[in-house]
Amino acid sequence: MPPVAVPEEPSKKKLRVAIIGQSTFAAEVFKLLQRDGHEVVGVFTVLDKGNREDPLATIAAQNGKPVFKYKTWRVKGKVIPEILEEYKSVNADINVLPFCTQFIPMEVILHPKYQSICYHPSILPRHRGASSINWTLIEGDTTCGLTIFWADDGLDTGPILLQRSFPCTIDDTVDSLYNKYLYPEGIKALAESVNMVANGVAPRIKQTEEGATYDPALFKPETHQIDWSKGGLALHNFIRGLDSSPGATTFIKPQTKDGVDKTSDANIEIKFFGSSLWEAEYETEGDKLFITGLNKPAVVHADGLLITANDGVKLNIQRLKVNGKMINAQNFFKGRENKVSLDLTAEEKQFIEKARDVWKAILRIEIENDTDFFASGAGSMDVVRLVEEIKDIADLELQNEDIYMNTTFEDFYNAAILKQRGGSSSKEVIYDGVEMEINKMKIKFPTQLFINGEFVNSDGGKTTAIVNPTDESVICKVQAATATDVDRAVKAAEKAFEEGEWSKISARERGQLLFKLADLMEKHKEELATIEAIDSGAVYTLALKTHVGMSIETWRYFAGWCDKITGSTIPISHARPNKNLTLTKREPIGVCGLITPWNYPLMMLSWKMAACLAAGNTVVMKPAAVCPLTALKFAELCVLAGIPPGVVNIVTGSGALAGQALADHPRIRKLGFTGSTEIGQTIMKSCAASNLKKVSLELGGKSPLIIFEDCDLDKAVKNGMASVFFNKGENCIAAGRLFVEERIHDEFVRRVVEETKKMSIGDPLNRGTAHGPQNHKAHMDKLISYVERGVKEGAKLVYGGKRVDRPGYFFQPTIFTDVQDNMFIAKEESFGPIMIISKFSSNNLDEVIRRANNTEYGLASGVFTKDVSRALRVAERVEAGTVFVNTYNKTDVAAPFGGFKQSGFGKDLGQEALNEYLKTKCITIEY
């Protein structure tokens, strides 16, 4: 029977309407009838569930309408006389049955002048009965719909008043059909039908029996049982047909990843939800789950539970209810459920209390954190109401499954907050880690790889010992990534970029997430600085201010850029007689790889990753093998901030293995590297050979600092020392050569030596320490060798040059003078606290600039002079990406940073850094 198409018309006559039914659906019908001017003279609904009344009763009472609540209308098949008389007393013109679970006697159905109209969620006569939507999906129908019919003494057999049909796809579920069509369109159709009755244009089309079906109600447990002998498409349809409630059910034997427990006679009840047909060509790797009736074991994998039907068709299941507990299917074999609590903002705390009020209004009980929505009497229509009310109070689009997966109030608000932040609504943070009491605080950090939002062990099972440079003790062992692990991380990042939540949120929402991440870093700054100190040897106070402090500033700076990345319109020649419009778009590159050094572990991560994520990319990052701990702690904070799974991935391990795998990977489109020039050259070759990926390199330096005789000497001494000894000399822009004008040379050296002797060397956690240990033993050994070569070549060692006689990798601040330009220490970077001083004459400005530029490096430089013209001439001619005038080490998140020549190319920080992680697309339109 084709749908009856009737134009919507306002009612010319106002009817007295009795609404018989329940639920939010019926309450919305009430609103529309009131809007159209009809008088609702009575509402007949179900009894309260505990203290909770039906939404229809609530809205009727709020509008001053009579409300009648009945347990039943009949006893032994006959209408209850008192109820019939009470019903007749409202004197209705028509009964409207929007959603009615009770049997209404014919004495009531036929009593009004216009009798009764009823809503049914199918295209009658197909799928008569109480479970019509479920059968629409179970039967694999490609069309669904709704019918408004005149009620009679049959079950859904009365004449048709109005019908609407809608497409039904292979991916639809009961919830999706209700949300897209049957709920909103059904409400409007009922209101329209009442108007048609009032206007005298409502048809009564007798139902045909051709194609009629009457499908049994799916209430009994035996109707939910899965028949595994059926083909994959039939299984998919059955599971999605029962998706909302009660769930397609089967029983399995107890089992672990290692197999079935054959000693147990117990059975585990499993309900399946979120089925989709699996179209991937490759075999999925995971743990086997044995289901009786299937020829092939199912596979628990990263994206769910993959089932291969006996006809070879595959379907993937997203969620399971195991013995009454709903879980993500990929977590079936995970026994631990340690959840990290959220750090809540003031606004989020306000949201929780508003949400608590919504729950209280629905359930009519006091709401505690462990109150269970469904155990307290909620049904599927209450889920719809909860979703809609949360949308109203928080402008947050929840899905029904968010409620089914998080049934207690605490789980619900955590899931809602994570989703509002843009993250996964049910993400568990589980990791093997280390807890320590140190620096007058408790710290905790992971030791596993971070892939697709989870901390996991490496494929090879190997670990790397992380040594505290202060006392040479082993802090912990960290998982060492293999090429397989890197590939897993890249696939996760690619999926997040192309399909995940990250690809769907707006640029402004992306910025909000990065701001939240910065706030969390601020909250944990003392913990991060402590980890940085024990892991890299950074002095705690410096780590707090620079390593961590500048990292936080970087994230906030680039969070502000997220919604300000724009293209342009360009005037071009027209193709007469038509016109042309050309515009450009700035788009993210895709999956980016980042490899960072060991001198500023968290700050180098932040300098690169903040710009990368602000541009909309996803990332796989490899921190330095010797100090990865703050990167792993940062990964934990990403989860707490709601960064979606796969957006940030951290793979720890060696550069030769994990780093090389990043450079070689064909799915990585951009690689950012900070490290030595030698490794940078290798990486650039690999990037070119693999897939010609975009590269930015921040490499070695031998930065010149020129100090003229007219300088402020106090300031020059202070900044000269900082230019070399800052962060123990483990500083990429450290002044590798100081050119001091000959007339002040001796005084400068005397004062520098005097001040250097005052530097306190010791435990970096001691607030009075100025100089901590070098990062690791190999580096300290290199510094000792570097000094020995300088002495051998004839440079004058005026101070330091030795390892400090104490445990730990402590190296004395060192000063060389009489250094000639051809010496090894004049040409090669020490990357340590070694000051190299040479003389020059200011009578020959060209000569000192030539000497300053006589290097293949060009990262930074500095000049101290009171002569502005001279300072500008030096700044103009020196070959370096950064020039400091009467200061040094003054970097800022808004100022671009990067080198020339063999110090690399590309910029970190500032607006220019975004260019490293964006591509420009040109679009030309003719009109």
Side-chain angles (χ1 to χ4, degrees):
M1 177 184 296
V4 178
V6 180
E8 293 187 27
E9 293 183 8
S11 61
K12 299 172 184 176
K13 180 180 178 182
K14 307 308 175 187
L15 300 182
R16 293 171 57 83
V17 179
I19 300 180
I20 304 175
Q22 64 199 81
S23 79
T24 306
F25 184 93
E28 292 298 320
V29 172
F30 177 99
K31 292 179 185 178
L32 283 190
L33 294 177
Q34 292 272 96
R35 181 203 67 181
D36 290 343
H38 301 291
E39 182 182 359
V40 178
V41 294
V43 160
F44 299 84
T45 188
V46 295
L47 296 177
D48 295 351
K49 294 181 180 179
N51 295 324
R52 187 168 64 93
E53 69 178 1
D54 189 83
L56 176 60
T58 300
I59 195 168
Q62 289 171 350
N63 284 270
K65 302 300 181 181
V67 177
F68 305 90
K69 302 175 183 179
Y70 303 140
K71 180 179 181 181
T72 181
W73 292 72
R74 304 185 309 168
V75 172
K76 296 181 179 180
K78 293 185 178 182
V79 64
I80 300 172
E82 296 84 357
I83 291 180
L84 180 59
E85 290 307 310
E86 200 167 39
Y87 161 75
K88 288 180 178 180
S89 69
V90 303
N91 194 26
D93 293 326
I94 188 170
N95 294 327
V96 174
L97 284 65
F99 181 81
C100 187
T101 59
Q102 295 175 316
F103 190 95
I104 309 303
M106 289 307 296
E107 291 89 339
V108 174
I109 293 292
L110 300 176
H111 178 75
K113 176 182 178 180
Y114 296 109
Q115 299 183 356
S116 304
I117 62 172
C118 186
Y119 167 83
H120 188 74
S122 77
I123 307 174
L124 292 174
R126 184 163 173 77
H127 301 311
R128 293 168 176 165
S131 302
S132 56
I133 293 200
N134 307 84
W135 285 104
T136 296
L137 296 168
I138 292 171
E139 294 293 328
D141 293 358
T142 58
T143 302
C144 66
L146 60 90
T147 301
I148 311 299
F149 68 96
W150 299 93
D152 64 4
D153 58 355
L155 187 61
D156 308 329
T157 57
I160 305 298
L161 190 159
L162 180 149
Q163 286 189 323
R164 297 253 161 81
S165 61
F166 313 99
C168 181
T169 71
I170 196 68
D171 296 318
D172 272 316
T173 63
V174 172
D175 284 342
S176 69
L177 292 183
Y178 259 121
N179 292 335
K180 286 189 296 185
Y181 309 124
L182 303 182
Y183 183 87
E185 295 300 325
I187 293 166
K188 290 190 291 185
L190 265 172
E192 183 181 341
S193 296
V194 173
N195 289 341
M196 292 167 64
V197 173
N199 294 337
V201 295
R204 288 176 177 263
I205 304 171
K206 183 179 180 181
Q207 286 195 44
T208 177
E209 291 303 308
E210 183 180 346
T213 62
Y214 177 76
D215 305 307
L218 298 170
F219 298 147
K220 297 180 180 179
E222 56 267 25
T223 63
H224 314 156
Q225 298 298 312
I226 300 173
D227 180 357
W228 293 110
S229 67
K230 292 187 175 181
L233 181 59
L235 290 174
H236 167 67
N237 288 336
F238 186 74
I239 292 170
R240 69 190 179 111
L242 298 172
D243 194 86
S244 221
S245 176
T249 307
T250 197
F251 290 88
I252 67 168
K253 292 295 182 182
Q255 53 192 284
T256 66
K257 293 179 181 181
D258 298 325
V260 176
D261 180 3
K262 296 181 180 179
T263 64
S264 175
D265 294 327
N267 282 318
I268 298 174
E269 181 187 66
I270 299 183
K271 294 179 179 289
F272 296 77
F273 302 89
S275 175
S276 60
L277 292 175
W278 183 263
E279 297 178 353
E281 296 179 0
Y282 56 88
E283 287 293 323
T284 299
E285 297 178 358
D287 301 307
K288 293 179 179 179
L289 179 69
F290 294 91
I291 299 175
T292 303
L294 286 178
N295 297 336
K296 189 174 181 180
V299 178
V300 178
H301 64 112
D303 293 315
L305 175 70
L306 186 65
I307 292 171
T308 302
N310 293 342
D311 64 354
V313 174
K314 296 180 179 179
L315 51 148
N316 196 53
I317 307 299
Q318 293 294 324
R319 301 175 305 283
L320 303 172
K321 185 177 278 188
V322 182
N323 285 338
K325 172 67 175 177
M326 188 76 82
I327 62 170
N328 287 319
Q330 62 264 34
N331 294 332
F332 181 82
F333 286 120
K334 292 184 179 179
R336 295 174 298 165
E337 294 186 11
N338 302 325
K339 295 187 179 181
V340 175
S341 59
L342 296 179
D343 293 280
L344 301 170
T345 65
E347 293 80 7
E348 288 167 345
K349 290 177 182 177
Q350 291 176 2
F351 164 77
I352 291 173
E353 294 313 308
K354 290 179 181 177
R356 194 186 303 272
D357 290 340
V358 172
W359 275 52
K360 185 175 180 180
I362 295 174
L363 299 177
R364 296 301 179 94
I365 59 174
E366 292 300 318
I367 305 301
E368 305 295 337
N369 280 359
D370 61 353
T371 299
D372 188 283
F373 194 65
F374 297 103
S376 301
S380 59
M381 293 307 297
D382 297 308
V383 173
V384 176
R385 177 181 174 185
L386 179 56
V387 168
E388 291 300 314
E389 294 204 31
I390 293 299
K391 186 192 300 182
D392 289 340
I393 68 169
D395 193 27
L396 175 62
E397 291 276 357
L398 293 178
Q399 303 298 319
N400 290 7
E401 69 181 57
D402 293 322
I403 290 59
Y404 291 123
M405 287 294 296
N406 302 280
T407 61
T408 68
F409 181 66
E410 183 177 21
D411 287 345
F412 167 78
Y413 73 66
N414 278 325
I417 288 168
L418 281 172
K419 194 155 194 173
Q420 196 167 42
R421 293 175 179 182
S424 168
S425 62
S426 57
K427 175 53 63 183
E428 297 174 355
V429 184
I430 304 169
Y431 62 75
D432 293 333
V434 172
E435 295 186 55
M436 302 173 65
E437 288 196 23
I438 191 171
N439 199 22
K440 301 179 181 178
M441 69 182 76
K442 290 183 178 180
I443 64 173
K444 182 181 178 182
F445 50 85
T447 58
Q448 297 171 284
L449 313 180
F450 183 69
I451 298 175
N452 200 31
E454 294 183 329
F455 289 96
V456 296
N457 289 335
S458 69
D459 180 62
K462 292 184 178 180
T463 59
T464 302
I466 305 301
V467 176
N468 185 337
T470 301
D471 58 11
E472 303 177 55
S473 64
V474 174
I475 302 170
C476 61
K477 292 185 177 181
V478 170
Q479 294 289 316
T482 65
T484 302
D485 296 317
V486 171
D487 184 60
R488 275 197 296 155
V490 172
K491 286 178 179 175
E494 188 173 43
K495 184 174 181 180
F497 179 77
E498 294 178 351
E499 305 172 23
E501 191 72 21
W502 193 247
S503 66
K504 300 169 187 173
I505 63 176
S506 68
R508 190 160 298 162
E509 290 172 313
R510 189 164 66 241
Q512 290 169 352
L513 281 175
L514 300 190
F515 275 121
K516 288 180 186 292
L517 178 57
D519 290 343
L520 276 170
M521 292 172 71
E522 178 85 42
K523 185 173 182 178
H524 290 265
K525 62 183 179 181
E526 288 86 1
E527 185 179 13
L528 288 166
T530 301
I531 296 171
E532 196 95 323
I534 65 172
D535 194 22
S536 73
V539 171
Y540 174 74
T541 51
L542 176 64
L544 201 59
K545 178 181 182 294
T546 302
H547 290 233
V548 179
M550 193 174 186
S551 296
I552 295 168
E553 288 182 13
T554 303
W555 284 101
R556 288 184 174 144
Y557 174 81
F558 283 108
W561 266 111
C562 287
D563 60 354
K564 300 170 187 68
I565 299 171
T566 60
S568 59
T569 56
I570 304 170
I572 67 168
S573 298
H574 294 312
R576 296 182 180 180
N578 294 334
K579 292 186 177 181
N580 291 99
L581 172 66
T582 292
L583 55 91
T584 61
K585 286 183 65 182
R586 304 283 281 146
E587 297 180 346
I589 292 174
V591 180
C592 298
L594 302 177
I595 302 174
T596 56
W598 43 258
N599 57 329
Y600 293 102
L602 184 63
M603 196 170 78
M604 290 295 98
L605 175 154
S606 300
W607 279 23
K608 296 184 186 302
M609 195 184 294
C612 177
L613 296 189
N617 301 286
T618 57
V619 66
V620 180
M621 180 260 181
K622 193 204 84 67
V626 292
C627 48
L629 300 183
T630 43
L632 294 174
K633 184 66 181 181
F634 169 84
E636 180 186 341
L637 298 183
C638 285
V639 178
L640 295 179
I643 304 295
V647 174
V648 174
N649 303 272
I650 309 290
V651 288
T652 53
S654 73
L657 187 57
Q660 188 63 49
L662 276 175
D664 290 338
H665 204 288
R667 306 305 295 172
I668 289 179
R669 298 300 177 187
K670 158 70 200 280
L671 194 135
F673 172 78
T674 294
S676 70
T677 298
E678 180 184 10
I679 300 301
Q681 290 170 330
T682 300
I683 282 177
M684 192 169 176
K685 291 176 184 176
S686 298
C687 290
S690 57
N691 62 343
L692 211 64
K693 59 175 61 72
K694 187 176 181 180
V695 188
S696 58
L697 303 172
E698 197 258 280
L699 307 176
K702 193 66 175 173
S703 302
L705 173 57
I706 304 173
I707 301 175
F708 287 93
E709 75 284 356
D710 65 339
C711 69
D712 178 335
L713 191 57
D714 289 339
K715 190 174 184 181
V717 169
K718 179 181 177 181
N719 281 268
M721 291 178 63
S723 75
V724 177
F725 301 142
F726 186 82
N727 198 48
K728 312 161 293 173
E730 295 169 355
N731 190 21
C732 55
I733 58 172
R737 294 172 297 157
L738 274 66
F739 295 96
V740 181
E741 210 280 335
E742 56 190 6
R743 281 171 286 182
I744 62 168
H745 174 271
D746 293 348
E747 177 62 12
F748 177 87
V749 171
R750 184 190 69 78
R751 292 173 65 169
V752 164
V753 171
E754 181 181 327
E755 293 300 317
T756 302
K757 289 178 180 179
K758 298 176 184 177
M759 291 176 63
S760 57
I761 303 174
D763 185 349
L765 295 177
N766 188 319
R767 303 309 191 262
T769 296
H771 189 82
Q774 305 307 137
N775 187 275
H776 51 281
K777 186 177 185 301
H779 181 54
M780 188 189 66
D781 292 343
K782 175 190 169 186
L783 295 178
I784 293 172
S785 174
Y786 188 93
V787 169
E788 290 173 349
R789 185 159 181 179
V791 171
K792 184 177 181 179
E793 289 189 341
K796 183 178 180 182
L797 178 62
V798 297
Y799 186 78
K802 297 179 182 178
R803 180 174 182 174
V804 179
D805 186 16
R806 59 171 292 169
Y809 307 134
F810 291 91
F811 187 79
Q812 294 176 336
T814 300
I815 302 169
F816 274 106
T817 61
D818 298 342
V819 179
Q820 304 302 311
D821 290 355
N822 63 338
M823 291 181 178
F824 175 81
I825 62 173
K827 295 184 292 184
E828 297 300 325
E829 181 181 28
S830 71
F831 211 65
I834 301 176
M835 183 178 288
I836 308 297
I837 302 176
S838 301
K839 294 180 183 179
F840 79 95
S841 170
S842 60
N843 293 328
N844 193 341
L845 181 63
D846 291 340
E847 176 62 14
V848 73
I849 292 175
R850 183 196 64 76
R851 294 174 66 191
N853 288 334
N854 187 26
T855 174
E856 277 299 303
Y857 298 110
L859 190 56
S861 61
V863 54
F864 276 80
T865 178
K866 293 177 180 178
D867 185 337
V868 175
S869 295
R870 182 159 60 183
L872 290 176
R873 286 199 298 273
V874 172
E876 185 177 81
R877 295 175 58 188
V878 73
E879 296 170 350
T882 297
V883 181
F884 299 110
V885 178
N886 294 327
T887 187
Y888 208 88
N889 285 327
K890 180 58 180 175
T891 55
D892 188 271
V893 295
F897 179 91
F900 300 161
K901 301 189 289 189
Q902 289 196 36
S903 287
F905 49 84
K907 296 295 183 183
D908 291 324
L909 303 180
Q911 182 180 356
E912 286 194 39
L914 292 167
N915 297 331
E916 305 299 328
Y917 301 96
L918 290 166
K919 58 189 179 186
T920 300
K921 179 180 288 182
C922 181
I923 303 170
T924 297
I925 306 163
E926 190 164 308
Y927 60 99

